[in-house]
Amino acid sequence: MTLPDDRDVRFGDDAILDTWQLVSKLDGKRAVLICGQHAFDASGANRCLDELTKVAEVRRWSEFHPNTDAADLIHGLRVVEEFKPDLVLGVGGGSAMDMAKLLCAYQGITDAEQLHAAIRTGAAITERRLKLVLAPTTSGSGSEATHFAVVYIGNDKYSIAGPAMLPDTVILDPKLTLTASPYQRATSGIDALAQATESLWASGASDASRGFARAAIDLLVPALPEFVNNPSSEVAGRMAQGSHLAGRAIDVSKTTAAHALSYGFTKSYGVSHGHAVALTLGAFIEAHAKATPDNLQPSVDPATHAEGMRTLLAAFGAADAADARARFDAIAEECGLPLKLAEHGITTREQVADLASRVNVERLGNNPVVFTKEQLTELVAAGLSG
């Protein structure tokens, strides 16, 4: 499997060592490095600094939390204002890369109230002054491939989007993903698989995004359990390609109900993002594969939806809807991701109803199958006895 060549993506073991060349090509002289406090060193990404610091002055900034927050973002924007870089280098998981994109999007804003107002308007990000290079250290978020980023103001989540959020260059180095813990590899990898799965049924999907999604699933399904339990350079390479292709798919299609529900699991019960998506994705797979034309949004073509579900079942090697759900759930369990709600502190229907009530309506509208809040509650509550 080869990556699409319409974007500048540098793929391969030790690709991170070429960072200095890529920065030089972009005429970067002052680079602000956005990275996790520990993952940058632990992953081996810090090996890029020896040569990079010979061609550019580098300011490292890591003072942000895992879920990108406006309170952290304003501090980063003040660092950018003080350092005056010409390039942003984001190295890490989804939070680090989202933060790098957001710093480019809101460069020049150093007042918190002004920043909050800009975020709340949701205006498309159509231009940026800084060059942007992204290098994921996990195989999962796909942030390096998407034109959007997530940011919270308190408990309110906002998705910021626009063509200027796409990086100039992506560095995909599979070696960087091998040092993560098995749980980190599992939760990030299952998120990539979820993105590809949702892209096959999303109302916003296109023929191109469905192609990316199917290619991603073909790579991820056989590779993910091995990547978690017995990782090798070869399987890490397949995961890196698969997660990037899933990101390319979701960049077009956007996520759907499983992702919309996941944020409540994370915010209220501390379930890691990919794991939170996995808690309901199996049920959504079955519901989408069983859906009749009467269950679909008016804008959805029943034939297109049916074809997408046939593709999904074939990708999982499943005979029918229930088998597809079982196969996904088996992958999650093999990766050490328990799916019983009680194991995450969710034991009552009232808790489930609260989660359903907080669903992002925009993402629910991208779901081809119509779900009311009551129907979402029923779907999730079925897992209380599972």
Side-chain angles (χ1 to χ4, degrees):
M1 178 67 205
T2 57
L3 293 167
D5 60 6
D6 59 332
R7 296 185 187 177
D8 187 6
V9 179
R10 307 302 175 92
F11 170 74
D13 285 345
D14 296 317
I16 196 69
L17 298 179
D18 295 332
T19 304
W20 72 273
Q21 295 177 333
L22 303 176
V23 170
S24 294
K25 181 181 176 181
L26 294 170
D27 295 321
K29 298 295 189 296
R30 295 173 65 82
V32 61
L33 167 62
I34 310 303
C35 59
Q37 293 188 18
H38 306 294
F40 182 71
D41 297 322
S43 68
N46 59 354
R47 294 178 299 140
C48 75
L49 290 177
D50 288 344
E51 295 300 322
L52 177 59
T53 53
K54 294 177 183 177
V55 300
E57 185 176 352
V58 178
R59 170 77 177 269
R60 178 171 170 174
W61 186 68
S62 304
E63 286 71 50
F64 54 90
H65 294 89
N67 292 315
T68 316
D69 190 276
D72 293 332
L73 176 57
I74 195 68
H75 291 303
L77 288 165
R78 290 168 182 164
V79 169
V80 168
E81 185 72 8
E82 182 270 327
F83 181 62
K84 300 189 184 332
D86 47 36
L87 182 144
V88 176
L89 171 61
V91 183
S95 294
M97 291 188 287
D98 274 9
M99 180 61 78
K101 293 195 283 189
L102 290 163
L103 291 174
C104 290
Y106 295 114
Q107 181 189 7
I109 300 177
T110 56
D111 177 78
E113 288 188 11
Q114 185 182 354
L115 176 64
H116 291 180
I119 290 170
R120 289 188 174 111
T121 65
I125 308 302
T126 57
E127 58 182 27
R128 58 176 161 84
R129 288 171 281 165
L130 297 167
K131 300 294 185 181
L132 179 61
V133 177
L134 297 178
T137 59
T138 63
S139 289
S141 80
S143 180
E144 81 283 351
T146 65
H147 71 286
F148 42 80
V150 167
V151 61
Y152 284 86
I153 299 176
N155 289 322
D156 296 327
K157 174 182 159 299
Y158 298 86
S159 184
I160 309 303
M165 302 281 273
L166 288 170
D168 296 288
T169 298
V170 170
I171 302 170
L172 281 186
D173 186 341
K175 268 191 179 181
L176 302 182
T177 69
L178 288 170
T179 58
S181 70
Y183 181 76
Q184 289 171 322
R185 294 195 298 271
T187 191
S188 61
I190 208 78
D191 188 27
L193 181 55
Q195 289 179 354
T197 298
E198 291 180 72
S199 290
L200 283 178
W201 66 54
S203 299
S206 67
D207 289 343
S209 68
R210 292 187 191 98
F212 288 141
R214 175 61 196 266
I217 293 174
D218 287 347
L219 285 163
L220 295 169
V221 165
L224 181 51
E226 186 178 355
F227 180 62
V228 174
N229 297 307
N230 188 29
S232 66
S233 178
E234 180 184 355
V235 77
R238 283 185 272 140
M239 286 296 301
Q241 290 182 76
S243 65
H244 183 74
L245 289 169
R248 290 293 301 268
I250 217 72
D251 185 48
V252 176
S253 70
K254 312 295 189 302
T255 52
T256 63
H259 264 80
L261 269 168
S262 72
Y263 299 105
F265 288 109
T266 298
K267 276 288 185 181
S268 296
Y269 300 96
V271 184
S272 182
H273 173 66
H275 195 171
V277 178
L279 292 178
T280 63
L281 187 65
F284 280 114
I285 289 174
E286 184 172 12
H288 280 79
K290 286 182 173 178
T292 66
D294 290 341
N295 302 135
L296 303 178
Q297 304 272 9
S299 60
V300 174
D301 175 44
T304 300
H305 179 73
E307 176 59 29
M309 293 305 95
R310 284 192 291 270
T311 299
L312 180 62
L313 264 60
F316 277 96
D320 55 29
D323 188 31
R325 174 181 185 168
R327 287 173 183 263
F328 173 80
D329 287 353
I331 291 171
E333 295 283 359
E334 191 175 353
C335 291
L337 299 176
L339 299 180
K340 293 180 179 179
L341 297 183
E343 296 190 43
H344 305 285
I346 304 163
T347 58
T348 69
R349 187 180 180 84
E350 288 73 23
Q351 289 173 294
V352 171
D354 176 64
L355 289 166
S357 72
R358 288 185 276 156
V359 163
N360 182 307
V361 177
E362 180 183 343
R363 279 195 169 85
L364 200 59
N366 192 38
N367 216 81
V369 177
V370 177
F371 287 104
T372 65
K373 295 297 176 69
E374 291 74 20
Q375 288 170 327
L376 283 179
T377 299
E378 290 294 332
L379 182 143
V380 180
L384 290 173
S385 59

